Amino acid sequence: MTTMDSETDSIGLVADDEATRLLAAYEAGSSFLFSAPHGVLLARGVSAIVPKTQCAREELPRRVADFLNSATEFGRRNPMVVGAVPFGESLPAHLVLPDEVVRAAPLNVVVSQPPRNGAPDCSVRPVPAPAEYERGVSRVLRRLEVGELSKVVLARSLELTAAEPIDVRGVLRNLALADPASYTFAVDLPRHGEDGTRDSFGAPPPLRRTFLGASPELLVSRRGMRVRSNPMAGSRPRSTDPVEDQRRAAELSTSDKDHREHAAVVDAVVQALRPFCRDLQVPAPSVISTAAMWHLATEITGELRDPATSSLELADALHPTPAVCGTPLQRARDVIAETEPFERGYYAGMVGWCDAAGDGEWVVAIRCADIEDDSMRLYAGAGIVAGSDPADELAETSAKFRTALSAMGLDQAV
């Protein structure tokens, strides 16, 4: 295996048969994994943590640029940060400079059914209860009717408690191999009650909490002057019956309600990218699939106006999109805070990496779980617009939970 020299940060390329070895080499508490359709990135160790100051999050790109410049002065060649940015501003971003980074070609092994033997004995508590979630959707619909806003993404969560510590590596492996076309990620986080803050280079405090998932949605990537975003909104659960599955895909492709929801997200992404890009290409949406869902997606591409614009600056301008929040943005944030009986934390935030040259890739943190010892919290949301039905939105969140539940070998009605 070719590794990155920890003194120079030169990234080695790994043969395509090494992708599953990188996945197996992941260790919770000391690694960051990012598996994308075009390749796998494994970052090991922590040389430093981006200082967590009280400045507004829109200053994050500048802080990270200054941090990477400092790392360059310490002898690093094109260093990068990896990590997660939360949905809201009640938590700081958690971004670190790894000791080394290894890359591989994409995973090309698909395991449609994760191992069922040894599935953990778990208690499951939905928050809120399904009936209360439907009532929350109904309350949001009434606010839409009077014109307060046009869309709200309302989420619910599942709190799982196992009889023993959860096998983080096993869950990550099952997520990645079930759908290599998704963006599978795992980020070490400070335990609840620990902030992990450190202002200088040196050994970090231990991190024993993991945020992981298999997101279908690319927020933004930057490679040289090329920019790409793939917003998604509008969805249907998959069916095990091939005929019914295709019927659902066809229904989604012609649904006025879903196309209106999708268009609002695409318009917001285009407006956010336009100041940074020229020659934006915005094709008609297409219907794409994951193991659990059909989605409407639009692949937007463009060219940067200024080579100094980093991937993190682009991601910060886009986040959060209406696909995970709503429109208008601040009003939707307020309704989410009033309606959801939990803090989103890093759910619906963004996960990825950015290097000193500005290249990087950030995905929307959905289809995800927050794992700490024997407990795990899952999250799933649905976009509420005029014409939404509370029972349908509940069913959509249940289908989205299947991604993480299947990775644990669980098959529970939620």
Side-chain angles (χ1 to χ4, degrees):
M1 179 182 298
T2 305
T3 60
M4 183 182 79
D5 183 272
S6 61
E7 294 300 316
T8 64
D9 280 353
S10 60
I11 298 174
L13 296 178
V14 184
D16 58 349
D17 63 347
E18 292 291 294
T20 53
R21 296 185 189 180
L22 282 192
L23 183 59
Y26 168 82
E27 294 183 12
S30 61
S31 305
F32 168 89
L33 186 118
F34 191 88
S35 177
H38 55 79
V40 180
L41 182 154
L42 177 68
R44 295 190 181 104
V46 177
S47 290
I49 300 174
V50 177
K52 298 173 178 62
T53 65
Q54 297 303 310
C55 65
R57 198 179 66 207
E58 56 264 25
E59 298 180 27
L60 181 63
R62 179 191 56 77
R63 275 193 288 140
V64 169
D66 291 345
F67 178 83
L68 290 172
N69 286 337
S70 297
T72 302
E73 293 172 2
F74 273 81
R76 303 286 181 121
R77 186 167 70 243
N78 194 25
M80 68 166 58
V81 295
V82 301
V85 177
F87 171 76
E89 296 187 348
S90 59
L91 291 174
H94 186 74
L95 301 172
V96 306
L97 175 74
D99 291 330
E100 65 169 3
V101 173
V102 190
R103 291 183 185 270
L107 288 165
N108 56 14
V109 178
V110 178
V111 179
S112 59
Q113 292 294 328
R116 311 300 283 190
N117 294 336
D121 181 15
C122 290
S123 64
V124 181
R125 185 173 78 96
V127 181
E132 180 55 33
Y133 179 79
E134 290 191 34
R135 286 191 287 270
V137 172
S138 296
R139 291 194 296 271
V140 169
L141 284 170
R142 288 194 290 272
R143 301 177 83 155
L144 297 179
E145 289 172 0
V146 299
E148 285 189 40
L149 61 175
S150 58
K151 176 183 177 180
V152 175
V153 177
L154 198 60
R156 66 188 186 106
S157 70
L158 296 180
E159 294 179 352
L160 281 72
T161 303
E164 57 187 29
I166 294 169
D167 178 12
V168 174
R169 183 188 289 180
V171 174
L172 180 65
R173 173 191 178 277
N174 290 342
L175 284 173
L177 296 183
D179 196 353
S182 288
Y183 295 84
T184 304
F185 59 84
V187 184
D188 294 328
L189 295 176
R191 293 174 68 92
H192 290 289
E194 300 176 2
D195 65 9
T197 301
R198 188 190 45 195
D199 293 327
S200 60
F201 291 80
L207 304 177
R208 300 177 300 279
R209 175 180 160 216
T210 305
F211 182 61
L212 55 73
S215 174
E217 187 168 358
L218 173 68
L219 182 64
V220 70
S221 69
R222 197 209 94 156
R223 297 182 185 280
M225 297 293 284
R226 298 300 297 169
V227 174
R228 178 172 167 259
S229 180
N230 192 27
M232 296 182 182
S235 59
R236 292 289 187 281
R238 300 291 302 271
S239 172
T240 56
D241 180 337
V243 174
E244 171 63 14
D245 195 44
Q246 289 303 312
R247 187 199 69 78
R248 293 181 185 183
E251 179 185 73
L252 178 61
S253 70
T254 59
S255 166
D256 176 68
K257 174 247 183 193
D258 289 283
H259 276 270
R260 283 188 287 109
E261 179 184 350
H262 184 76
V265 176
V266 171
D267 288 347
V269 170
V270 169
Q271 290 177 22
L273 288 179
R274 198 173 295 283
F276 301 100
C277 297
R278 57 180 174 229
D279 300 326
L280 277 177
Q281 302 296 311
V282 188
S286 59
V287 177
I288 67 168
S289 66
T290 66
M293 303 293 295
W294 291 104
H295 295 281
L296 286 177
T298 297
E299 184 169 335
I300 301 169
T301 57
E303 184 177 355
L304 281 178
R305 299 179 187 275
D306 183 353
T309 303
S310 72
S311 64
L312 184 55
E313 187 174 357
L314 295 169
D316 186 68
L318 288 168
H319 173 64
T321 74
V324 292
C325 186
T327 52
L329 178 63
Q330 190 53 53
R331 193 73 193 100
R333 278 185 184 273
D334 293 342
V335 171
I336 288 169
E338 294 165 11
T339 309
E340 292 179 356
F342 55 84
E343 289 290 333
R344 288 192 173 189
Y346 292 90
Y347 161 67
M350 57 188 190
V351 172
W353 60 275
C354 179
D355 66 22
D359 285 347
E361 196 160 30
W362 298 88
V363 299
V364 183
I366 53 178
R367 312 296 191 275
C368 57
D370 191 331
I371 301 176
E372 188 171 338
D373 299 328
D374 60 352
S375 66
M376 178 164 94
R377 172 168 268 182
L378 311 180
Y379 302 88
I384 315 304
V385 297
S388 291
D389 177 81
D392 289 344
E393 305 307 330
L394 177 67
E396 180 177 325
T397 60
S398 296
K400 290 173 177 176
F401 281 133
R402 286 208 311 265
T403 298
L405 289 173
S406 294
M408 289 188 69
L410 298 174
D411 187 14
Q412 297 183 238
V414 292

